[in-house]
Amino acid sequence: MISKKAAAIAPSATLVVDSKAKEFTRAGFKVINFSVGQPDFDTPSHICQVAKKAIDAGFTKYTPSGGIPELKQAIADRFRKDDGLIYRPNQIIVSVGGKQALFNLIFGLIDPGDEVILPTPAWVSYAEQISICGGKPVLVPGRKDYKISADQLQRAITVRTKLLILNSPSNPTGAVYSAKELNQIARVIVRKKIWVLSDEVYGKIVYGNQKHTSIASLGKEIYERTFVVNAVSKTYAMTGWRIGWAAGDAKVIAACDALQSQTTSNACSIAQKAALAALTGPQDFVRQMTSSFARRRKQLVEGLKKIRGLKVDLPQGAFYVWVDIRPIEADSGRFCTRLIEKKKVAAVPGSAFFAEGYIRLSFAVSPADIKEGIDRISAFITEEYGRNKP
Ligand code: PLP
């Protein structure tokens, strides 16, 4: 009954772990959920107020399918202010979260048989979206720092290569590409005449002296070959509002708009008004949230470092710690299943990100839960792996 196309789609692995965590919570257990992919902050109240006003004012009808003009303008203004990037409104489309913006672009760019280079570890949805569109994900494992070099990119390119997907800061590793690294990668993209999709949804969440650079900002030629995706989801703690966007070549954006107009139509009208308030209003929330994440990042990494058998580095951006469990366990799925079942601690197996022998822990959870979670993981490892002391 189910089509071959639909049957081939794997459900998102992060959502699978999350639903297991919820199941145990419903059953009355205190679960420490390190699997969440969203800030644990409430959406700032000035944003919620604008949404309430939009409802009361009857802003509840269809909007243009690609987004309201004032939101596109606000997105263009942020690109100019934050990244020095100039986009006209017809180069921007507003979608249902970053996820739909990514899917639209992959659909708009990829023909059956086209190859898409995906540096790994990589976020779960890219490869599925590429496959749904008939493309072939070409996995290129990152170096020790989880990033790929320009040389690696060059070697992975074939006559069928159409696109590179870059995600900096990265989910799951928190790796951030420097402007210098991006420059070298950009040169290969331009020379080889491929395209790049730059997923920058964690761009505002970077730590220490890290600076987020958009590859599109590194010159006219790479600008013309880049599609940038972003969203209000992570930056403003607005994951449920479902507003994201893509920017790039006007013809491809128009194709995305055509697809969107025949599938979902516009993103929620009220959420668009809320996103407008987020982008044009005060930005101190983003700084406060990031400093709170910075403290929890330190707490989680320091706690994990004390546990024998785990190897971990400080992530430079996003809100995930990428933990090497290979000294004690090769099968990350087995590790995570036993961890949730025995200690009610949810973590995402690295296999979901094409990197076996690792797990991803989110530190978008309270400091009390981080402490409790570290204790439980430590006890779990002693009980499960005590025999083969690392
Ligand atoms: N890109 C990355 C790397 C993500 O981690 C996520 C969400 O987890 C998204 C895109 C999708 O974001 P949104 O919730 O706006 O669809």
Side-chain angles (χ1 to χ4, degrees), residues 34 60 115 247 262 304 360 376 379:
F34 285 128
T60 52
E115 291 179 358
Q262 300 292 9
L304 292 171
R360 189 197 76 177
R376 290 192 199 180

Side-chain angles (χ1 to χ4, degrees), residues 34-343:
F34 285 128
S35 75
V36 286
Q38 60 184 341
D40 58 331
F41 290 81
D42 289 332
T43 303
S45 70
H46 73 274
I47 298 173
C48 299
Q49 290 306 328
V50 169
K52 287 177 192 162
K53 274 198 202 129
I55 297 175
D56 292 339
F59 195 74
T60 52
K61 308 278 197 295
Y62 292 129
T63 75
S65 107
I68 52 176
E70 56 273 42
L71 178 54
K72 287 191 183 183
Q73 190 54 54
I75 292 167
D77 291 345
R78 280 248 79 88
F79 270 127
R80 186 173 36 77
K81 259 198 215 135
D82 298 349
D83 309 292
L85 285 167
I86 305 298
Y87 289 109
R88 294 183 307 280
N90 69 345
Q91 292 181 279
I92 294 171
I93 179 171
V94 175
S95 299
V96 180
K99 232 177 205 178
Q100 190 188 23
L102 287 165
F103 183 78
N104 284 344
L105 281 173
I106 293 171
F107 187 92
L109 288 166
I110 297 306
D111 278 317
D114 283 347
E115 291 179 358
V116 181
I117 295 176
L118 198 53
T120 59
W123 178 55
V124 287
S125 295
Y126 303 128
E128 284 297 327
Q129 293 194 353
I130 295 163
S131 302
I132 292 168
C133 295
K136 184 177 164 220
V138 175
L139 307 181
V140 178
R143 304 168 304 207
K144 259 179 130 179
D145 58 4
Y146 310 119
K147 299 186 264 189
I148 64 160
S149 65
D151 278 352
Q152 281 179 291
L153 172 63
Q154 167 119 0
R155 283 198 298 274
I157 293 174
T158 73
V159 286
R160 292 209 185 83
T161 307
K162 182 90 183 263
L163 182 68
L164 162 71
I165 296 187
L166 264 190
N167 174 215
S168 173
S170 150
N171 172 8
T173 65
V176 176
Y177 282 82
S178 68
K180 187 173 167 214
E181 290 164 330
L182 290 174
N183 242 318
Q184 289 162 346
I185 287 175
R187 262 187 252 139
V188 177
I189 291 166
V190 169
R191 195 169 57 243
K192 294 287 189 177
K193 294 190 169 52
I194 63 169
W195 305 87
V196 56
L197 200 171
S198 181
D199 179 345
E200 303 181 9
V201 299
Y202 295 98
K204 295 282 183 289
I205 305 173
V206 289
Y207 306 107
N209 329 323
Q210 279 304 320
K211 199 180 150 325
H212 164 70
T213 304
S214 175
I215 191 167
S217 68
L218 299 174
K220 183 172 178 298
E221 286 174 306
I222 188 66
Y223 168 84
E224 285 169 357
R225 300 209 150 263
T226 305
F227 295 91
V228 181
V229 166
N230 212 325
V232 289
S233 308
K234 319 284 178 177
T235 317
Y236 303 99
M238 291 178 73
T239 47
W241 298 79
R242 310 307 304 133
I243 298 291
W245 54 89
D249 179 274
K251 287 196 289 299
V252 176
I253 295 296
C256 292
D257 202 344
L259 168 66
Q260 192 162 295
S261 73
Q262 300 292 9
T263 50
T264 57
S265 293
N266 60 274
C268 169
S269 59
I270 303 150
Q272 288 189 63
K273 284 285 190 187
L276 177 62
L279 295 176
T280 54
Q283 302 294 303
D284 10 331
F285 168 80
V286 189
R287 279 186 291 276
Q288 283 154 12
M289 181 177 70
T290 306
S291 8
S292 163
F293 283 156
R295 288 190 293 276
R296 301 189 220 173
R297 169 186 80 137
K298 190 162 173 270
Q299 183 193 359
L300 182 57
V301 168
E302 282 177 2
L304 292 171
K305 276 194 167 155
K306 293 195 186 114
I307 302 177
R308 269 184 314 166
L310 302 184
K311 284 211 237 156
V312 58
D313 293 319
L314 266 184
Q316 302 166 309
F319 40 74
Y320 308 103
V321 172
W322 184 239
V323 188
D324 184 354
I325 59 168
R326 288 174 304 175
I328 48 169
E329 173 67 71
D331 182 342
S332 59
R334 190 186 110 93
F335 184 94
C336 291
T337 307
R338 293 185 71 77
L339 183 61
I340 182 98
E341 279 168 0
K342 292 198 125 188
K343 295 289 178 194

